[in-house]
Amino acid sequence: MTNSLFSDLGIAEPICRALSAENYATPTPIQSQAIPLLLAGRDLLGIAQTGTGKTAAFVLPILQRLAAEPVQGARAIRALILAPTRELALQIGERVQAYGRHLGLRHTVILGGVGQGPQVKALGSGVDILIATPGRLLDLLGQRHVRLDKVSHLVLDEADRMLDMGFIRDVRRIVAALPKTRQSLLFSATMPNDVAKLAHDMLRDPARVE
Ligand code: AMP
């Protein structure tokens, strides 16, 4: 079965096939709005709560863009997805796995509260997509276990919760370590001042979807 509605948005066949296996018949409103903009390379400010389908709205275009890019040399982190909590990071990792199952990209999730050994090992074997909570990522960056100099796609998910949990400074430090030329996305359910400022500093001419 082909997934014609996702393909109408520009999503490629191997991803549509994975979506059919997930029984996704129609894109949600945020997916319909965001996917074409993101495939075209735009930055995005998404005002969206969990349950709207926002994860697929950013994961699908990133998977497609990475799969289409020629890679020279060793595998390097090209997409960085930051999440405020372990649970959310793990959920995003699970979605990346499901939607990307036919693409041959590699991802890993790094988060605090567990030993760093297996995470360092996973990073060392090469990943295309890194999903992380900010504290542990900064630790590993400080120890030079992570290189972010090839990141071309950045997602900050649940930015208002990052703020509530006191992670905004960590996030700013991480963003400062990334190449300036990249596609950046910020999702937040609410838009307090500090999040609006971060969006302003982090995004370039963003499209806005609500
Ligand atoms: P999210 O808002 O990203 O946390 O997604 C909420 C839930 O909706 C998750 O369980 C997704 O697997 C599911 N979902 C996302 N997009 C679709 C879709 N187009 N059709 C059916 N289910 C979806």
Side-chain angles (χ1 to χ4, degrees):
M1 187 179 88
T2 59
N3 214 306
S4 62
L5 292 163
F6 280 98
S7 65
D8 288 348
L9 298 177
I11 293 295
E13 191 280 333
I15 301 178
C16 287
R17 200 155 21 105
L19 293 173
S20 293
E22 298 292 310
N23 289 315
Y24 289 13
T26 30
T28 67
I30 191 163
Q31 291 164 6
S32 301
Q33 291 175 63
I35 287 171
L37 294 164
L38 294 175
L39 287 175
R42 288 290 299 273
D43 281 10
L44 186 95
L45 178 61
I47 319 288
Q49 310 195 337
T50 182
T52 55
K54 72 176 159 70
T55 313
F58 64 80
V59 168
L60 302 178
I62 287 176
L63 287 171
Q64 179 151 326
R65 284 169 60 94
L66 295 187
E69 265 174 25
V71 181
Q72 289 128 12
R75 218 179 267 269
I77 298 166
R78 290 181 288 152
L80 173 64
I81 303 173
L82 294 175
T85 64
R86 303 158 43 85
E87 294 69 28
L88 184 60
L90 289 167
Q91 262 175 43
I92 295 169
E94 190 259 327
R95 295 290 85 204
V96 166
Q97 171 68 37
Y99 305 146
R101 63 212 281 182
H102 304 303
L103 299 179
L105 296 167
R106 287 165 56 166
H107 75 280
T108 197
V109 182
I110 66 176
L111 31 77
V114 292
Q116 74 170 43
Q119 298 174 7
V120 169
K121 200 169 160 200
L123 289 165
S125 67
V127 299
D128 302 285
I129 302 167
L130 178 63
I131 302 123
T133 54
R136 175 57 62 92
L137 177 58
L138 269 184
D139 279 357
L140 295 180
L141 262 178
Q143 299 171 57
R144 304 195 183 279
H145 287 306
V146 193
R147 291 188 56 170
L148 298 177
D149 57 313
K150 296 286 195 297
V151 170
S152 53
H153 295 78
L154 168 68
V155 181
L156 192 57
D157 199 10
E158 303 205 350
D160 49 356
R161 283 178 80 195
M162 299 264 195
L163 180 68
D164 293 343
M165 296 173 70
F167 286 147
I168 290 286
R169 281 184 63 186
D170 288 355
V171 168
R172 284 191 177 271
R173 276 195 217 131
I174 293 165
V175 173
L178 302 178
K180 298 278 173 284
T181 306
R182 56 167 201 260
Q183 183 180 35
S184 306
L185 289 61
L186 184 148
F187 288 88
S188 196
T190 61
M191 204 40 67
N193 266 340
D194 285 350
V195 172
K197 257 187 245 154
L198 180 66
H200 176 267
D201 295 343
M202 197 183 112
L203 304 174
R204 194 179 20 91
D205 184 27
R208 190 182 166 109
V209 301
E210 307 206 21

